């Protein structure tokens, strides 16, 4: 894929079909799946201006080629919100063309406009291609994540 001018902008209701394709590809990358109910809830939250979850799409012309989701939340170490980059996915045919970088830079701008004190994210240790980009755009911390999944 050769990219023209990539534009990053908020996702809209009209983007659902392409978004869903990338959302499912993202989930497969992380060897997981979610119910249709969760996928619909995620999409609804992205579009709901009363929920602090936001979605961005990278467009090559009119074609969606990447997505990013962020969550704004308060924290105990600052008086302003944090911006958590929860999901980032770029079409496999469009990788290496600067689309991931464009999405992250849009998230940085968004976080600044919303007076956030930081943008942070996590990725798998073996996600080497993504980490190559991330090492250029942010610093890796020494934080180790622990998780206890709770029954619903």
């Amino acid at each position: 894929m050769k990219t023209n001018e990539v534009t990053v902008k908020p996702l809209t209701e009209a983007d659902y079909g392409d978004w869903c394709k990338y959302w499912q590809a993202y989930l497969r990358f992380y060897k997981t799946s979610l119910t249709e109910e969760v996928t619909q809830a995620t999409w609804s939250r992205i579009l709901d201006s009363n929920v602090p979850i936001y979605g961005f799409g990278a467009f090559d012309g009119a074609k969606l080629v990447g997505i990013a989701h962020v969550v704004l939340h308060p924290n105990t170490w600052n008086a302003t919100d944090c911006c958590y980059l929860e999901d980032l996915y770029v079409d496999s045919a469009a990788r290496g063309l600067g689309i991931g970088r464009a999405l992250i830079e849009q998230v940085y701008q968004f976080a600044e406009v919303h007076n956030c004190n930081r943008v942070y994210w996590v990725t798998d240790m073996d996600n080497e291609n993504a980490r190559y980009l991330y090492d250029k755009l942010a610093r890796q911390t020494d934080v180790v994540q622990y998780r206890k999944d709770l029954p619903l």
Side-chain angles (χ1 to χ4, degrees):
M1 168 183 268
K2 184 179 178 201
T3 182
N4 298 317
E5 183 74 22
V6 172
T7 304
V8 178
K9 59 186 178 183
L11 292 166
T12 68
E13 197 168 327
D15 300 318
Y16 176 77
D18 291 331
W19 170 85
C20 193
K21 176 179 77 170
Y22 290 130
W23 177 240
Q24 294 304 319
Y26 176 76
L27 296 174
R28 281 191 302 278
F29 177 83
Y30 280 106
K31 297 175 179 68
T32 193
S33 63
L34 297 172
T35 65
E36 180 63 22
E37 178 184 14
V38 172
T39 292
Q40 289 300 319
T42 298
W43 181 246
S44 293
R45 290 174 180 152
I46 288 168
L47 297 180
D48 187 340
S49 62
N50 294 312
V51 177
I53 297 176
Y54 304 87
F56 298 97
F59 294 84
D60 183 6
K63 179 177 172 38
L64 184 64
V65 294
I67 59 172
H69 305 144
V70 300
V71 179
L72 300 186
H73 66 86
N75 67 99
T76 60
W77 288 31
N78 299 92
T80 58
D81 284 346
C82 294
C83 180
Y84 175 47
L85 172 56
E86 189 163 17
D87 311 303
L88 177 71
Y89 187 82
V90 173
D91 185 317
S92 59
R95 293 185 186 149
L97 301 175
I99 293 165
R101 176 185 293 273
L103 282 162
I104 292 171
E105 288 175 350
Q106 175 63 41
V107 169
Y108 287 169
Q109 291 174 8
F110 177 81
E112 285 182 22
V113 166
H114 285 83
N115 197 36
C116 294
N117 59 71
R118 69 180 169 271
V119 174
Y120 71 101
W121 62 94
V122 297
T123 195
D124 283 348
M125 289 295 294
D126 63 354
N127 192 358
E128 293 175 7
N129 290 338
R131 292 184 63 202
Y132 180 75
L133 171 64
Y134 300 162
D135 287 343
K136 295 176 183 177
L137 297 174
R139 67 177 172 80
Q140 181 181 344
T141 69
D142 294 328
V143 173
V144 176
Q145 183 188 51
Y146 290 86
R147 175 185 282 181
K148 167 71 173 151
D149 292 330
L150 302 173
L152 298 176

